[in-house]
Amino acid sequence: MSYTNPYGQPQGIASLDTNKLREILIGEIDAINGYENHIANSNMEDINAAWRSIVGDEKKHYGMILTLIRKYDPAQFQAYTDHIGDKLGPKSPIQTYTPNYDKQIILNNVREDVKGELEAVILYEQHLDEIPYSDVKYALYSIINEEKGHAEHLTQLLLKYDIQKYNGLE
């Protein structure tokens, strides 16, 4: 998924390679949050299973990109080493949440997710063309292909549940 402000425009224009990676990282965080929100408000198990699978990929992408940022930005790496111990210790419980199982919005959520996956492909392919590092290119190729797979997976769910046809799609 891509990140935008409430008016639909990107927050800024990334010119540094590390900021292009941060832009991707923001997109992955936005995707994780969006999918987790959808799962929390859906009791449609096959759609939730698809969303859970995609969330796993998005979290993997987050890790891949943050690792690259740490590699190419010494200040980011220093901040990482300063805070590496913060995750240690017992996990605290998460607040409780009462879901809203409104089946009417599920297809809208799926369509919004397809949109986000396609926006991610466009953004990541643009950055792929601009960032010169071979390890970044390799990571982006991998992520782009998974995002395309997510769009197709979600499209199949639309075809399963939407009673209206999509011009012959199967």
Side-chain angles (χ1 to χ4, degrees), residues 59-125:
K59 288 179 178 180
K60 178 180 73 176
H61 302 163
Y62 179 89
M64 293 167 68
I65 297 302
L66 185 55
T67 299
L68 290 165
I69 292 171
R70 290 173 179 163
K71 177 180 178 179
Y72 291 106
D73 183 337
Q76 186 81 38
F77 184 79
Q78 182 60 50
Y80 160 66
T81 59
D82 291 348
H83 293 282
I84 194 165
D86 294 355
K87 67 178 181 254
L88 302 177
K91 300 235 183 227
S92 60
I94 298 176
Q95 69 188 32
T96 59
Y97 172 74
T98 304
N100 175 13
Y101 296 129
D102 182 353
K103 290 189 183 330
Q104 297 300 316
I105 65 169
I106 298 297
L107 289 179
N108 290 349
N109 289 343
V110 173
R111 282 187 288 271
E112 184 67 26
D113 295 340
V114 171
K115 173 186 170 281
E117 296 295 340
L118 297 174
E119 288 175 340
V121 169
I122 292 167
L123 175 67
Y124 301 174
E125 285 182 343

